[in-house]
Amino acid sequence: PQGARLALLGSDNKVHLYSGDPLRPVALHDPRGSLTGMAFSPDGKRLALGSADSTIVLDAEGGAPQATFPHQG
């Protein structure tokens, strides 16, 4: 995304969000299960987290969940 924003998957299996210049921690998200991918929206305002059973969309600035999409099957 434009600006200074970073999402990392830690060894604790939690998503660590950083924002600002200099980067500082802004949020921590503990997903259920193992993540298979994550990506910022083009405008950098949302972060999608994908796992085997669902996709979760977070507010990338503060880390609050905005939507959850369970996977079928």
Side-chain angles (χ1 to χ4, degrees):
Q2 297 291 335
R5 203 161 276 159
L6 177 68
L8 299 172
L9 179 61
S11 59
D12 55 2
N13 200 42
K14 294 180 182 176
V15 176
H16 301 259
L17 290 173
Y18 299 85
S19 186
D21 187 16
L23 288 172
R24 64 190 181 288
V26 295
L28 181 68
H29 182 73
D30 190 2
R32 292 185 183 180
S34 297
L35 290 181
T36 57
M38 61 182 166
F40 283 100
S41 62
D43 63 6
K45 293 182 179 181
R46 290 172 299 285
L47 177 66
L49 308 175
S51 69
D53 61 352
S54 67
T55 298
I56 300 169
V57 179
L58 304 177
D59 168 48
E61 189 170 320
Q66 294 185 329
T68 300
F69 304 97
H71 297 189
Q72 301 291 327

